[in-house]
Amino acid sequence: MTILSHGVGYPERLATPNTHHPTVGGGSAEAGGPVFGMSPEWLLDEHGVPVADALVLSHPEQYERLRAACPEAAPTAVLAGDPCWDRMLAAGPYRDRFRRALGIRAGQRLALLNSTWNPESLFGDGGDVLPSLLPRPASEFPADEYRFAAVLHPDSRHGHGPGQIRARLDRARRAGLAPIDPLHGWRQAPIAADAVIGDHGSVTCYAAALGAPVLLGAAPLGGLAPEAPVHDFVRDAPRLDPASPLRPQVEAVARDHRSRPEPAGFISSVPGESATRLRQLFYDVPGIPQPDGPALLETLPLPPYEPPSRTVPLLVFTRLPGACEVDITRYAGPRPPADSTGEMHTAVHEDTRETHRLALADVVFRYGERDDARFGTPELWTTEALALYPQCAPAAYVSGSAGCTVGTRDGELLWVRAEFGSDADPAVYASALHAWLAAGKSLDEPVARGLTVRTGEAAHRATVTRR
């Protein structure tokens, strides 16, 4: 039998069923408790004999801890690296593809929330920090400048129950949060991330090793072996203050971040070599020859395309700084920052669960293919929407990633298309036209000159054509 580490570097204290130490998974850890995968309780049978033929380590420091904690198992140790880390390193050049798979547009930042599985984690039942954080990004971060994603350890579902997790994530998901597949998509997420809010779990360590700025929302040092490098990382990493506004903290850690070599250094001392070393071990243990050819790891798959689907009502702030120019800030939460400026209107997706908001919406929009027979044509849908929702000024049918058909109360039918290099959600153009018309301006100017829409620091050019 061969044992490999679950996560980064054997840092956690975890009692076996036949010990009296409180477990990290079922209670608060106790100083001096057994280290998972490194102590006699985990490595020796009742006769003091190692239970495994080989214990795979990723770094020599783990061997020194093993010799001190369980010298009987030291002869079974094999330095073979970390295959998970090697797959992530190999996938680094595809970061932009992973970001596009999550619908990250030019000028947007991806913030990753992640939690390991025990009660003291970000999504634990001790502090329970993450559930209180989940509703806040939609109100504190502009939707066109940030997208949030969440990676929850698979065991969280056993602790909280799948239904409870779905309920906790529901509003955030409808506001644009991307729930990441905890088995097949979690490695790609920290590669794509611009900032990470996490805890003492492995995803946070891998993210820091990849160079991502990290804030710890939970940092239970008592559950970590003090000799493990992960303990030092958690002790020294910047802390999130859940009681303070989130956006300044995320922007500060991203602005001031200087990537440090320590996390990558303690994850593996032989990066890129795990496939070769592990295959040799797996064939040597039963004493059979290795196959010809190099040992190779599977590459990380490109996740499916999952752009945000914001079906909650959007609060939109607009300013008109110049000719055919509209600045737009959209929030998917009910309580935008108090210092928000500009004229405000609501834009509501037709598939919203808050159907009562459609009757009061200033802009109604939906996404769909141009040839979706259920809606007839984009032109027909806009006509129907203006009749169904008499309060809305324009109705917009977004088809594809670069354009939308907009119908107005004055009977105008417009095709708004992003120019090459612009990368906004086309629904912002409908809000821009609403702001333009609400200010008493004519469509003649944007039809003649085009429209410039700014979301944060990104400027998007679009042409406006009468149909």
Side-chain angles (χ1 to χ4, degrees):
M1 181 176 70
T2 299
I3 296 176
L4 283 82
S5 172
H6 173 73
V8 173
Y10 302 100
E12 294 189 79
R13 303 182 188 278
L14 182 64
T16 57
N18 60 344
T19 68
H20 299 291
H21 296 290
T23 72
V24 176
S28 299
E30 177 182 280
V35 177
F36 177 53
M38 280 276 167
S39 58
E41 295 90 335
W42 286 101
L43 297 176
L44 305 180
D45 65 17
E46 64 273 20
H47 305 294
V49 177
V51 297
D53 301 294
L55 175 65
V56 173
L57 310 179
S58 65
H59 195 285
E61 69 81 17
Q62 296 158 24
Y63 180 70
E64 297 306 317
R65 289 194 285 129
L66 177 65
R67 284 204 311 169
C70 186
E72 299 90 341
T76 68
V78 178
L79 181 65
D82 183 334
C84 179
W85 176 237
D86 287 351
R87 294 177 73 195
M88 297 172 79
L89 288 177
Y94 307 110
R95 179 175 190 263
D96 288 345
R97 295 181 185 178
F98 297 149
R99 292 171 63 81
R100 288 193 291 268
L102 288 169
I104 305 301
R105 296 179 178 272
Q108 269 191 318
R109 290 178 173 176
L110 173 63
L112 178 65
L113 304 169
N114 83 86
S115 176
T116 189
W117 61 277
N118 67 56
E120 296 176 308
S121 67
L122 197 68
F123 199 20
D125 51 15
D128 226 16
V129 179
L130 185 58
S132 66
L133 292 180
L134 282 171
R136 294 176 54 186
S139 290
E140 298 186 35
F141 293 82
D144 297 296
E145 298 173 47
Y146 285 86
R147 187 177 191 195
F148 276 72
V151 174
L152 304 182
H153 193 287
D155 284 351
S156 300
R157 285 155 176 78
H158 299 290
H160 295 274
Q164 181 69 7
I165 288 184
R166 285 194 299 271
R168 293 280 183 93
L169 293 178
D170 177 67
R171 211 283 175 183
R173 181 185 54 79
R174 291 186 290 117
L177 177 82
I180 302 297
D181 185 327
L183 297 179
H184 304 294
W186 71 266
R187 299 171 187 83
Q188 297 89 325
I191 297 172
D194 295 294
V196 175
I197 297 175
D199 52 25
H200 60 296
S202 293
V203 175
T204 306
C205 293
Y206 283 125
L210 289 165
V214 165
L215 282 171
L216 297 189
L221 288 174
L224 300 173
E227 304 85 6
V230 171
H231 180 282
D232 295 342
F233 164 72
V234 171
R235 181 194 62 205
D236 298 338
R239 296 296 195 266
L240 178 79
D241 178 4
S244 298
L246 301 180
R247 185 177 178 185
Q249 297 183 73
V250 171
E251 293 188 342
V253 76
R255 181 186 64 244
D256 302 335
H257 177 65
R258 298 292 180 273
S259 184
R260 299 178 59 181
E262 293 87 349
F266 67 66
I267 286 176
S268 174
S269 63
V270 286
E273 299 182 25
S274 63
T276 299
R277 289 171 176 257
L278 286 172
R279 188 176 75 172
Q280 180 177 345
L281 171 64
F282 295 154
Y283 280 83
D284 285 350
V285 168
I288 57 178
Q290 294 188 57
D292 295 332
L296 302 172
L297 295 172
E298 286 193 19
T299 59
L300 293 184
L302 183 64
Y305 179 54
E306 295 181 347
S309 177
R310 297 186 180 93
T311 59
V312 297
L314 301 175
L315 300 181
V316 186
F317 293 87
T318 61
R319 293 189 309 110
L320 277 60
C324 295
E325 296 180 354
V326 183
D327 294 347
I328 287 186
T329 306
R330 301 190 301 172
Y331 292 96
R335 292 175 293 277
D339 59 356
S340 299
T341 59
E343 298 296 319
M344 191 190 84
H345 68 265
T346 58
V348 182
H349 194 301
E350 192 181 29
D351 288 341
T352 185
R353 191 178 298 172
E354 292 92 333
T355 54
H356 62 284
R357 299 291 297 274
L358 287 167
L360 300 175
D362 299 294
V363 177
V364 174
F365 65 95
R366 76 168 307 111
Y367 300 87
E369 300 297 328
R370 290 190 62 82
D371 59 354
D372 191 328
R374 296 173 298 172
F375 306 116
T377 64
E379 294 79 10
L380 177 59
W381 178 87
T382 57
T383 301
E384 290 180 345
L386 289 169
L388 284 169
Y389 316 114
Q391 175 66 27
C392 80
Y397 188 97
V398 178
S399 50
S401 61
C404 61
T405 300
V406 180
T408 74
R409 282 284 158 206
D410 295 330
E412 295 271 17
L413 191 63
L414 308 167
W415 170 243
V416 186
R417 182 170 180 81
E419 294 184 1
F420 180 78
S422 295
D423 191 26
D425 172 5
V428 303
Y429 300 130
S431 283
L433 286 173
H434 171 74
W436 185 261
L437 294 171
K441 296 181 178 294
S442 168
L443 282 172
D444 293 340
E445 193 172 358
V447 168
R449 300 178 53 182
L451 197 61
T452 298
V453 178
R454 292 188 179 86
T455 57
E457 298 180 358
H460 313 279
R461 284 284 302 165
T463 59
V464 181
T465 307
R466 284 187 168 100
R467 304 298 287 264

